[in-house]
Amino acid sequence: MMPIWTKSGEKHAVTLLKVQDCHVLRYVSKEESGAKTAKLLVGGKNVSPFSKPESAHEIFKEAGVPRKQKVTTFNVTDDAIIKPGTPLYAAHFRPGQFVDVTAKTIGKGFQGVVKRWGFKGQPASHGQTKTHRRPGAISTNKAAKVYRGKKMAGKMGNIYRTSFGLKVWRINTKHDIIYVNGSVPGHTNCLVKVRDSKLPTYKDCNKNPPFPTFFADGDEELPEDLFDEEIFQFTDPSVTFA
Amino acid sequence: RVSSDGKPPKFQPPPKPVIVDRKTQKEERRFLSPEFIPPRGRTDPLKYYIERKDMIQRRKVFNIPEFYVGSVLAVTTADPYASDKAKRFVGICIQRGGKGLGATFVLRNVIEDQGVEICYELYSPRIQAIEVLKLEKRLDENLMYLRDALPEYSTFDVNMKPVPRMDQEEIPVNKLQVRMKPKPWSKRWERPKYNIKGIKFELPEHKMKAAQKWSQPWMEFDMLREYDTSKIEEKIRKELSEELEK
């Protein structure tokens, strides 16, 4: 995470996400999957093929791509279908766009009710016998049962969570890095799924994105760094309030 | 030597010895700002490389001078609510923290009997100018104890003139031992964990001995805590000098 300053001098914290060897693996049509839209399977970081059996390598062999550590699905409209085997780059996103980021949260193991659900616990003194971080009562008398989904102690973390509506501040095309506003679930160097935001406020935010994706054919020469309009670039002199 | 007239030859004084001071020539003082050294961790070094590129970019446009904890600085920042739209603060640097673009330094001064500490970010675009009025080092890397010291040690004149110094001199170390206000202090500075050398402790002997109970003499031998930055520093220095000359 890094600080980033706007032209008016305000500071925002930004997370750096690297797009490492992403390829489209397979196209699943609407009829095949039975869903409302077509799907594209996309694979992430390259990893050694020797730790998995040959049967697991089928998808990668069809696409002509080394084995990937993570495979995710994206729901895609029919006009945005991409041929399996195309690489995906960070320039697919543009600064000023809004994005949802999904990842597995940091695993905390078996945790008690105070840390896991934020219960208040009991006072430290004034006669409490062996009760300082316990849940207390779990149901009422009339219910005569404990409801399903009652918040109790258990394994915390290591589940998929999404941060919605994160602004993309900057894209580095040389190293394929996306600078995304705020924090993102997961530990450092963990695998993350970045998707266009589905929040209704940001429905019309994308003006002329590279559609269906950014193909590095050599037609479009992008500069090494793409900045949002409001970012203070370090090549400018210091901010003054006239 | 052939004598010219039969008289002894004219006295030739021996050639003057050329004193080559090898010591001062060898130790070139190269200062590397502490926020360039990456912390120990499992982050991808690419992240530090990208951050350093941004830091170098900023340094090309705006001059961040060399300074240490204990030097007196004057910082002018842009402020929309001030007349003149700029604010100037003079103070002694008591702490330098943070790594990368978020590096900060805290300046302390006593203005009209009120102690004021301001934490500035080195790479913030709001800073218009940083001048070093007095470049010197102190015995410690962290001068937070000035909060519990007598206020005369933290007062610096707001209209102080910069102290002139020559370029190639060694940075003077101010061996000042500061006198403290009566206890209680904000932190127990006499404890060995803070390892403070710049305070003149006027506490009784038994209290100083009791503070040594909290010493952890095994920490300096702990090999897992060692972080040798010499090679990393060399690489970063090379990178910096190449980039800044462009």
Side-chain angles (χ1 to χ4, degrees), chain B residues 179-191:
Chain B
R179 288 184 57 216
M180 307 290 274
K181 289 193 237 175
K183 266 205 166 191
W185 297 331
S186 59
K187 295 249 183 305
R188 293 176 224 242
W189 302 112
E190 73 274 10
R191 294 225 174 145

mmCIF file with all atom_site columns, all heavy atoms in Angstrom, chain B residues 179-191:
data_model
loop_
_atom_site.group_PDB
_atom_site.id
_atom_site.type_symbol
_atom_site.label_atom_id
_atom_site.label_alt_id
_atom_site.label_comp_id
_atom_site.label_asym_id
_atom_site.label_entity_id
_atom_site.label_seq_id
_atom_site.pdbx_PDB_ins_code
_atom_site.Cartn_x
_atom_site.Cartn_y
_atom_site.Cartn_z
_atom_site.occupancy
_atom_site.B_iso_or_equiv
_atom_site.pdbx_formal_charge
_atom_site.auth_seq_id
_atom_site.auth_comp_id
_atom_site.auth_asym_id
_atom_site.auth_atom_id
_atom_site.pdbx_PDB_model_num
ATOM 1   N N   . ARG B 1 179 ? 18.683 18.397 30.598 1.00 0.00 ? 179 ARG B N   1
ATOM 2   C CA  . ARG B 1 179 ? 18.152 18.266 31.958 1.00 0.00 ? 179 ARG B CA  1
ATOM 3   C C   . ARG B 1 179 ? 16.641 18.147 31.893 1.00 0.00 ? 179 ARG B C   1
ATOM 4   O O   . ARG B 1 179 ? 15.996 18.822 31.092 1.00 0.00 ? 179 ARG B O   1
ATOM 5   C CB  . ARG B 1 179 ? 18.567 19.481 32.787 1.00 0.00 ? 179 ARG B CB  1
ATOM 6   C CG  . ARG B 1 179 ? 20.053 19.457 33.122 1.00 0.00 ? 179 ARG B CG  1
ATOM 7   C CD  . ARG B 1 179 ? 20.454 20.596 34.020 1.00 0.00 ? 179 ARG B CD  1
ATOM 8   N NE  . ARG B 1 179 ? 19.685 20.585 35.251 1.00 0.00 ? 179 ARG B NE  1
ATOM 9   C CZ  . ARG B 1 179 ? 19.276 21.687 35.883 1.00 0.00 ? 179 ARG B CZ  1
ATOM 10  N NH1 . ARG B 1 179 ? 19.565 22.863 35.398 1.00 0.00 ? 179 ARG B NH1 1
ATOM 11  N NH2 . ARG B 1 179 ? 18.572 21.597 36.979 1.00 0.00 ? 179 ARG B NH2 1
ATOM 12  N N   . MET B 1 180 ? 16.082 17.284 32.744 1.00 0.00 ? 180 MET B N   1
ATOM 13  C CA  . MET B 1 180 ? 14.663 16.964 32.639 1.00 0.00 ? 180 MET B CA  1
ATOM 14  C C   . MET B 1 180 ? 13.833 17.697 33.673 1.00 0.00 ? 180 MET B C   1
ATOM 15  O O   . MET B 1 180 ? 14.330 18.105 34.700 1.00 0.00 ? 180 MET B O   1
ATOM 16  C CB  . MET B 1 180 ? 14.447 15.453 32.826 1.00 0.00 ? 180 MET B CB  1
ATOM 17  C CG  . MET B 1 180 ? 15.270 14.608 31.928 1.00 0.00 ? 180 MET B CG  1
ATOM 18  S SD  . MET B 1 180 ? 14.734 14.720 30.251 1.00 0.00 ? 180 MET B SD  1
ATOM 19  C CE  . MET B 1 180 ? 13.467 13.506 30.230 1.00 0.00 ? 180 MET B CE  1
ATOM 20  N N   . LYS B 1 181 ? 12.545 17.775 33.388 1.00 0.00 ? 181 LYS B N   1
ATOM 21  C CA  . LYS B 1 181 ? 11.595 18.289 34.381 1.00 0.00 ? 181 LYS B CA  1
ATOM 22  C C   . LYS B 1 181 ? 11.453 17.204 35.439 1.00 0.00 ? 181 LYS B C   1
ATOM 23  O O   . LYS B 1 181 ? 11.826 16.062 35.224 1.00 0.00 ? 181 LYS B O   1
ATOM 24  C CB  . LYS B 1 181 ? 10.230 18.494 33.710 1.00 0.00 ? 181 LYS B CB  1
ATOM 25  C CG  . LYS B 1 181 ? 10.189 19.646 32.749 1.00 0.00 ? 181 LYS B CG  1
ATOM 26  C CD  . LYS B 1 181 ? 8.747  19.946 32.417 1.00 0.00 ? 181 LYS B CD  1
ATOM 27  C CE  . LYS B 1 181 ? 8.561  19.852 30.924 1.00 0.00 ? 181 LYS B CE  1
ATOM 28  N NZ  . LYS B 1 181 ? 7.212  20.009 30.463 1.00 0.00 ? 181 LYS B NZ  1
ATOM 29  N N   . PRO B 1 182 ? 10.879 17.550 36.632 1.00 0.00 ? 182 PRO B N   1
ATOM 30  C CA  . PRO B 1 182 ? 10.714 16.487 37.639 1.00 0.00 ? 182 PRO B CA  1
ATOM 31  C C   . PRO B 1 182 ? 9.758  15.416 37.132 1.00 0.00 ? 182 PRO B C   1
ATOM 32  O O   . PRO B 1 182 ? 8.880  15.684 36.329 1.00 0.00 ? 182 PRO B O   1
ATOM 33  C CB  . PRO B 1 182 ? 10.122 17.225 38.846 1.00 0.00 ? 182 PRO B CB  1
ATOM 34  C CG  . PRO B 1 182 ? 9.623  18.518 38.322 1.00 0.00 ? 182 PRO B CG  1
ATOM 35  C CD  . PRO B 1 182 ? 10.446 18.855 37.133 1.00 0.00 ? 182 PRO B CD  1
ATOM 36  N N   . LYS B 1 183 ? 9.958  14.187 37.660 1.00 0.00 ? 183 LYS B N   1
ATOM 37  C CA  . LYS B 1 183 ? 9.096  13.074 37.251 1.00 0.00 ? 183 LYS B CA  1
ATOM 38  C C   . LYS B 1 183 ? 7.678  13.337 37.710 1.00 0.00 ? 183 LYS B C   1
ATOM 39  O O   . LYS B 1 183 ? 7.490  14.056 38.676 1.00 0.00 ? 183 LYS B O   1
ATOM 40  C CB  . LYS B 1 183 ? 9.621  11.799 37.899 1.00 0.00 ? 183 LYS B CB  1
ATOM 41  C CG  . LYS B 1 183 ? 10.560 11.034 37.042 1.00 0.00 ? 183 LYS B CG  1
ATOM 42  C CD  . LYS B 1 183 ? 10.539 9.569  37.461 1.00 0.00 ? 183 LYS B CD  1
ATOM 43  C CE  . LYS B 1 183 ? 11.208 8.727  36.416 1.00 0.00 ? 183 LYS B CE  1
ATOM 44  N NZ  . LYS B 1 183 ? 11.007 7.322  36.613 1.00 0.00 ? 183 LYS B NZ  1
ATOM 45  N N   . PRO B 1 184 ? 6.567  12.859 37.160 1.00 0.00 ? 184 PRO B N   1
ATOM 46  C CA  . PRO B 1 184 ? 6.461  11.792 36.154 1.00 0.00 ? 184 PRO B CA  1
ATOM 47  C C   . PRO B 1 184 ? 6.708  12.278 34.734 1.00 0.00 ? 184 PRO B C   1
ATOM 48  O O   . PRO B 1 184 ? 6.364  13.392 34.371 1.00 0.00 ? 184 PRO B O   1
ATOM 49  C CB  . PRO B 1 184 ? 5.004  11.335 36.296 1.00 0.00 ? 184 PRO B CB  1
ATOM 50  C CG  . PRO B 1 184 ? 4.288  12.512 36.829 1.00 0.00 ? 184 PRO B CG  1
ATOM 51  C CD  . PRO B 1 184 ? 5.265  13.270 37.655 1.00 0.00 ? 184 PRO B CD  1
ATOM 52  N N   . TRP B 1 185 ? 7.322  11.424 33.934 1.00 0.00 ? 185 TRP B N   1
ATOM 53  C CA  . TRP B 1 185 ? 7.567  11.682 32.530 1.00 0.00 ? 185 TRP B CA  1
ATOM 54  C C   . TRP B 1 185 ? 6.574  10.907 31.685 1.00 0.00 ? 185 TRP B C   1
ATOM 55  O O   . TRP B 1 185 ? 5.922  9.991  32.176 1.00 0.00 ? 185 TRP B O   1
ATOM 56  C CB  . TRP B 1 185 ? 8.992  11.227 32.149 1.00 0.00 ? 185 TRP B CB  1
ATOM 57  C CG  . TRP B 1 185 ? 10.064 11.966 32.870 1.00 0.00 ? 185 TRP B CG  1
ATOM 58  C CD1 . TRP B 1 185 ? 10.009 13.242 33.348 1.00 0.00 ? 185 TRP B CD1 1
ATOM 59  C CD2 . TRP B 1 185 ? 11.358 11.470 33.204 1.00 0.00 ? 185 TRP B CD2 1
ATOM 60  N NE1 . TRP B 1 185 ? 11.190 13.566 33.956 1.00 0.00 ? 185 TRP B NE1 1
ATOM 61  C CE2 . TRP B 1 185 ? 12.036 12.504 33.875 1.00 0.00 ? 185 TRP B CE2 1
ATOM 62  C CE3 . TRP B 1 185 ? 12.015 10.260 33.012 1.00 0.00 ? 185 TRP B CE3 1
ATOM 63  C CZ2 . TRP B 1 185 ? 13.339 12.367 34.333 1.00 0.00 ? 185 TRP B CZ2 1
ATOM 64  C CZ3 . TRP B 1 185 ? 13.307 10.126 33.464 1.00 0.00 ? 185 TRP B CZ3 1
ATOM 65  C CH2 . TRP B 1 185 ? 13.963 11.169 34.116 1.00 0.00 ? 185 TRP B CH2 1
ATOM 66  N N   . SER B 1 186 ? 6.506  11.226 30.389 1.00 0.00 ? 186 SER B N   1
ATOM 67  C CA  . SER B 1 186 ? 5.556  10.498 29.540 1.00 0.00 ? 186 SER B CA  1
ATOM 68  C C   . SER B 1 186 ? 6.005  9.055  29.330 1.00 0.00 ? 186 SER B C   1
ATOM 69  O O   . SER B 1 186 ? 5.189  8.169  29.141 1.00 0.00 ? 186 SER B O   1
ATOM 70  C CB  . SER B 1 186 ? 5.415  11.192 28.189 1.00 0.00 ? 186 SER B CB  1
ATOM 71  O OG  . SER B 1 186 ? 6.663  11.254 27.557 1.00 0.00 ? 186 SER B OG  1
ATOM 72  N N   . LYS B 1 187 ? 7.306  8.841  29.344 1.00 0.00 ? 187 LYS B N   1
ATOM 73  C CA  . LYS B 1 187 ? 7.808  7.460  29.269 1.00 0.00 ? 187 LYS B CA  1
ATOM 74  C C   . LYS B 1 187 ? 8.946  7.345  30.273 1.00 0.00 ? 187 LYS B C   1
ATOM 75  O O   . LYS B 1 187 ? 9.584  8.320  30.583 1.00 0.00 ? 187 LYS B O   1
ATOM 76  C CB  . LYS B 1 187 ? 8.383  7.173  27.877 1.00 0.00 ? 187 LYS B CB  1
ATOM 77  C CG  . LYS B 1 187 ? 7.384  7.201  26.767 1.00 0.00 ? 187 LYS B CG  1
ATOM 78  C CD  . LYS B 1 187 ? 7.181  5.813  26.236 1.00 0.00 ? 187 LYS B CD  1
ATOM 79  C CE  . LYS B 1 187 ? 6.266  5.685  25.074 1.00 0.00 ? 187 LYS B CE  1
ATOM 80  N NZ  . LYS B 1 187 ? 4.980  6.163  25.102 1.00 0.00 ? 187 LYS B NZ  1
ATOM 81  N N   . ARG B 1 188 ? 9.238  6.117  30.708 1.00 0.00 ? 188 ARG B N   1
ATOM 82  C CA  . ARG B 1 188 ? 10.318 5.963  31.712 1.00 0.00 ? 188 ARG B CA  1
ATOM 83  C C   . ARG B 1 188 ? 11.649 5.948  30.971 1.00 0.00 ? 188 ARG B C   1
ATOM 84  O O   . ARG B 1 188 ? 12.168 4.890  30.632 1.00 0.00 ? 188 ARG B O   1
ATOM 85  C CB  . ARG B 1 188 ? 10.100 4.683  32.492 1.00 0.00 ? 188 ARG B CB  1
ATOM 86  C CG  . ARG B 1 188 ? 8.844  4.768  33.338 1.00 0.00 ? 188 ARG B CG  1
ATOM 87  C CD  . ARG B 1 188 ? 8.589  3.456  34.037 1.00 0.00 ? 188 ARG B CD  1
ATOM 88  N NE  . ARG B 1 188 ? 7.190  3.100  33.944 1.00 0.00 ? 188 ARG B NE  1
ATOM 89  C CZ  . ARG B 1 188 ? 6.382  2.952  34.985 1.00 0.00 ? 188 ARG B CZ  1
ATOM 90  N NH1 . ARG B 1 188 ? 6.830  3.131  36.217 1.00 0.00 ? 188 ARG B NH1 1
ATOM 91  N NH2 . ARG B 1 188 ? 5.124  2.629  34.811 1.00 0.00 ? 188 ARG B NH2 1
ATOM 92  N N   . TRP B 1 189 ? 12.191 7.119  30.689 1.00 0.00 ? 189 TRP B N   1
ATOM 93  C CA  . TRP B 1 189 ? 13.348 7.225  29.824 1.00 0.00 ? 189 TRP B CA  1
ATOM 94  C C   . TRP B 1 189 ? 14.605 6.602  30.407 1.00 0.00 ? 189 TRP B C   1
ATOM 95  O O   . TRP B 1 189 ? 15.571 6.362  29.698 1.00 0.00 ? 189 TRP B O   1
ATOM 96  C CB  . TRP B 1 189 ? 13.633 8.696  29.473 1.00 0.00 ? 189 TRP B CB  1
ATOM 97  C CG  . TRP B 1 189 ? 12.483 9.386  28.815 1.00 0.00 ? 189 TRP B CG  1
ATOM 98  C CD1 . TRP B 1 189 ? 11.731 10.393 29.349 1.00 0.00 ? 189 TRP B CD1 1
ATOM 99  C CD2 . TRP B 1 189 ? 11.931 9.114  27.523 1.00 0.00 ? 189 TRP B CD2 1
ATOM 100 N NE1 . TRP B 1 189 ? 10.749 10.764 28.468 1.00 0.00 ? 189 TRP B NE1 1
ATOM 101 C CE2 . TRP B 1 189 ? 10.851 10.009 27.340 1.00 0.00 ? 189 TRP B CE2 1
ATOM 102 C CE3 . TRP B 1 189 ? 12.233 8.217  26.510 1.00 0.00 ? 189 TRP B CE3 1
ATOM 103 C CZ2 . TRP B 1 189 ? 10.082 10.032 26.178 1.00 0.00 ? 189 TRP B CZ2 1
ATOM 104 C CZ3 . TRP B 1 189 ? 11.475 8.247  25.350 1.00 0.00 ? 189 TRP B CZ3 1
ATOM 105 C CH2 . TRP B 1 189 ? 10.407 9.144  25.199 1.00 0.00 ? 189 TRP B CH2 1
ATOM 106 N N   . GLU B 1 190 ? 14.605 6.354  31.748 1.00 0.00 ? 190 GLU B N   1
ATOM 107 C CA  . GLU B 1 190 ? 15.840 5.804  32.333 1.00 0.00 ? 190 GLU B CA  1
ATOM 108 C C   . GLU B 1 190 ? 15.989 4.320  32.029 1.00 0.00 ? 190 GLU B C   1
ATOM 109 O O   . GLU B 1 190 ? 17.044 3.752  32.239 1.00 0.00 ? 190 GLU B O   1
ATOM 110 C CB  . GLU B 1 190 ? 15.865 6.045  33.855 1.00 0.00 ? 190 GLU B CB  1
ATOM 111 C CG  . GLU B 1 190 ? 14.926 5.184  34.657 1.00 0.00 ? 190 GLU B CG  1
ATOM 112 C CD  . GLU B 1 190 ? 13.529 5.767  34.766 1.00 0.00 ? 190 GLU B CD  1
ATOM 113 O OE1 . GLU B 1 190 ? 13.250 6.755  34.055 1.00 0.00 ? 190 GLU B OE1 1
ATOM 114 O OE2 . GLU B 1 190 ? 12.724 5.247  35.541 1.00 0.00 ? 190 GLU B OE2 1
ATOM 115 N N   . ARG B 1 191 ? 14.910 3.677  31.488 1.00 0.00 ? 191 ARG B N   1
ATOM 116 C CA  . ARG B 1 191 ? 14.969 2.223  31.266 1.00 0.00 ? 191 ARG B CA  1
ATOM 117 C C   . ARG B 1 191 ? 15.860 1.906  30.072 1.00 0.00 ? 191 ARG B C   1
ATOM 118 O O   . ARG B 1 191 ? 15.901 2.666  29.111 1.00 0.00 ? 191 ARG B O   1
ATOM 119 C CB  . ARG B 1 191 ? 13.571 1.667  31.019 1.00 0.00 ? 191 ARG B CB  1
ATOM 120 C CG  . ARG B 1 191 ? 12.722 1.790  32.257 1.00 0.00 ? 191 ARG B CG  1
ATOM 121 C CD  . ARG B 1 191 ? 11.941 0.558  32.559 1.00 0.00 ? 191 ARG B CD  1
ATOM 122 N NE  . ARG B 1 191 ? 11.267 0.712  33.835 1.00 0.00 ? 191 ARG B NE  1
ATOM 123 C CZ  . ARG B 1 191 ? 10.072 0.228  34.124 1.00 0.00 ? 191 ARG B CZ  1
ATOM 124 N NH1 . ARG B 1 191 ? 9.410  -0.439 33.210 1.00 0.00 ? 191 ARG B NH1 1
ATOM 125 N NH2 . ARG B 1 191 ? 9.544  0.403  35.301 1.00 0.00 ? 191 ARG B NH2 1
#
